[in-house]
Amino acid sequence: MALNTSAETPLPVGEVSRLIGGWIDRLGAVWVEGQITQLSRRPGAGVVFLTLRDPSYDISVSVTCYRQVFDAVADVVSEGARVVVLAKPEWYAPRGQLSLRAAEIKPVGVGELLARLEQLKKALAAEGLFAAERKKPLPFLPQLIGLVCGRASAAERDVLENARHRWPAVRFEVRNVAVQGVHAVPQVVQAVKDLDAIDDVDVIIVARGGGSVEDLLPFSDEQLVRAVAACRTPVVSAIGHEPDNPLLDHVADVRASTPTDAAKKVVPDVGEEYERVRLLRDRARRCVEAFIEREERGLAHALARPSIEDPHRMIDERADHVASLTDRGRRTLGHLLDRADSELTHTHARVVGLSPAATLQRGYAVLQKADGHVVRDPGEVTADEALRARVAEGEFSVRVDARSDA
């Protein structure tokens, strides 16, 4: 119910507390599930005080119950146990404090816990958080490994000693957290987020030794599963022993059966790598040697060929043939030249025999008029006309005798 108040007409604290108490009194009893984080059983006291906490969130509420109510489950309930409480909310007006008055307390059985985990597993799998394609591969040789584990725990010792034994130069960024109890989930989640934010961290290992189902419950918490799914850095789950299978194993990129197995999966063995390098070097040497031997055999085979072994042999074999062809060509050319010379001589003789100069050599003369016209007919000249007579050795002038007209 809304109240009409203002700065001028405020309600006293006592009235507000009384009203809150009235509203809470109208609430009925509810069943509440949580984890007991504090338990106070004072000797002789008729009331037992508990603190009930939500393991997935940092929320707690005080619970009180009569001693006989708690004694009914005192043998199976202690700090850290999960319980279901039938309680009615109460408001303590003098201190303004909310609490629950428990009328019945029931421990949550292992079978019920496993059934709830199976339901959560199916729901997260349906979202694709466990899909194989989301898995990130581990680096071959991580330079810096993030480790989330309990302080001075056997899991921490196993991971550090085995990793450094396999690769002495490996470095670790360790985050010590609570690995069971009410503070485990928020501390592990924060440690994973802190390591994921460090750029130099190549892989994150979340490790814990074995334990009961209740002890390993923090590593099946939905909040932790989603935090690991959101990591950009590969995450290795090394929780418990081989039979243990918290939900963290399904969302992690790699699952290790034990913390020791995690060290073996993340860090290569320097001795094995040296041996692998030696084997690869020997294999490479054999391949190169085989290649060289094969090429040498091919070269020897090529050198054994007659054309390579005695390259002048083909030339010598063809030299006589070339010489024969040369002589034949020379003779043929000589015959052609001789025949051409003979033909030229005959042609020259014919030309000389038919030339005017030869005619002149035989004593003939050529008469020409003053204009150079050759006289071929006596009628072409007149008496006393001056002519030029051309003979073999030169020319001279003549004059036509008048009697020649007769």
Side-chain angles (χ1 to χ4, degrees):
M1 180 182 297
L3 299 176
N4 294 322
T5 61
S6 65
E8 291 74 21
T9 58
L11 287 178
V13 173
E15 180 65 17
V16 173
S17 180
R18 185 188 65 79
L19 291 172
I20 293 175
W23 295 329
I24 292 177
D25 286 340
R26 288 196 292 270
L27 296 176
V30 293
W31 285 99
V32 181
E33 180 184 352
Q35 187 176 27
I36 298 176
T37 60
Q38 292 181 355
L39 177 59
S40 177
R41 299 175 63 189
R42 297 175 184 176
V47 178
V48 177
F49 298 91
L50 306 89
T51 299
L52 203 61
R53 183 179 183 277
D54 188 331
S56 299
Y57 302 94
D58 192 14
I59 299 176
S60 301
V61 64
S62 297
V63 179
T64 60
C65 66
Y66 292 112
R67 190 176 190 89
Q68 59 268 27
V69 174
F70 185 81
D71 287 343
V73 293
D75 294 337
V76 293
V77 170
S78 60
E79 286 190 5
R82 288 195 177 219
V83 294
V84 176
V85 177
L86 177 61
K88 186 179 186 307
E90 290 185 346
W91 180 256
Y92 186 57
R95 293 185 181 177
Q97 184 176 356
L98 175 67
S99 64
L100 298 177
R101 172 71 69 171
E104 186 179 354
I105 300 176
K106 291 184 178 181
V108 178
V110 174
E112 187 177 356
L113 288 175
L114 294 178
R116 293 180 183 178
L117 289 180
E118 187 63 27
Q119 292 177 355
L120 178 60
K121 177 181 176 181
K122 291 180 179 179
L124 296 176
E127 293 184 29
L129 297 185
F130 303 157
E133 54 270 18
R134 296 185 71 258
K135 308 294 184 183
K136 296 177 284 294
L138 297 181
F140 166 70
L141 181 58
Q143 301 298 313
L144 182 62
I145 300 174
L147 176 60
V148 181
C149 59
R151 184 179 301 277
S153 62
E156 178 181 7
R157 183 178 63 256
D158 290 346
V159 173
L160 296 181
E161 290 182 357
N162 282 279
R164 287 168 178 162
H165 176 73
R166 292 173 64 83
W167 198 275
V170 70
R171 296 181 296 117
F172 280 90
E173 185 73 23
V174 181
R175 293 289 187 273
N176 294 124
V177 297
V179 291
Q180 69 182 59
V182 295
H183 301 294
V185 173
Q187 290 187 15
V188 173
V189 169
Q190 188 59 46
V192 170
K193 290 181 178 179
D194 291 345
L195 292 174
D196 187 49
I198 300 176
D199 293 335
D200 293 338
V201 173
D202 299 315
V203 62
I204 300 172
I205 300 176
V206 181
R208 186 203 190 282
S212 64
V213 174
E214 294 86 347
D215 293 338
L216 300 182
L217 281 178
F219 299 97
S220 293
D221 187 86
E222 181 178 359
Q223 186 180 358
L224 176 59
V225 171
R226 294 189 181 278
V228 171
C231 284
R232 60 178 181 81
T233 308
V235 177
V236 177
S237 173
I239 306 301
H241 301 297
E242 183 63 37
D244 298 322
N245 192 21
L247 296 186
L248 180 62
D249 287 349
H250 298 280
V251 73
D253 299 291
V254 174
R255 182 211 178 236
S257 58
T258 62
T260 299
D261 183 49
K264 294 180 179 179
K265 289 181 180 294
V266 172
V267 181
D269 183 83
V270 63
E272 294 177 358
E273 295 306 317
Y274 273 128
E275 180 64 17
R276 184 176 289 109
V277 170
R278 186 188 67 79
L279 293 176
L280 291 175
R281 187 188 297 116
D282 293 343
R283 180 182 177 185
R285 183 183 295 109
R286 290 194 299 271
C287 291
V288 172
E289 290 175 351
F291 175 77
I292 293 176
E293 291 176 358
R294 183 171 65 251
E295 294 302 314
E296 286 179 343
R297 289 194 299 270
L299 182 60
H301 180 72
L303 292 175
R305 293 180 179 179
S307 59
I308 302 299
E309 187 177 15
D310 185 9
H312 295 284
R313 181 178 177 180
M314 294 181 63
I315 298 176
D316 295 339
E317 290 177 352
R318 299 293 181 182
D320 295 340
H321 182 63
V322 171
S324 175
L325 292 177
T326 302
D327 292 341
R328 180 180 175 183
R330 185 179 292 110
R331 289 194 302 270
T332 301
L333 181 61
H335 293 328
L336 292 175
L337 292 176
D338 291 343
R339 186 169 60 188
D341 181 69
S342 176
E343 291 179 356
L344 182 62
T345 301
H346 291 313
T347 302
H348 180 267
R350 292 174 59 191
V351 170
V352 170
L354 296 175
S355 69
T359 303
L360 296 177
Q361 288 288 344
R362 291 196 299 271
Y364 292 95
V366 177
L367 296 177
Q368 293 177 312
K369 290 187 176 185
D371 57 1
H373 181 73
V374 177
V375 179
R376 291 181 177 83
D377 188 356
E380 295 179 355
V381 298
T382 58
D384 202 28
E385 182 179 357
L387 301 175
R388 296 182 61 189
R390 184 177 180 183
V391 294
E393 301 300 330
E395 59 183 27
F396 55 87
S397 301
V398 296
R399 185 171 296 279
V400 178
D401 189 3
R403 287 178 297 177
S404 62
D405 296 333

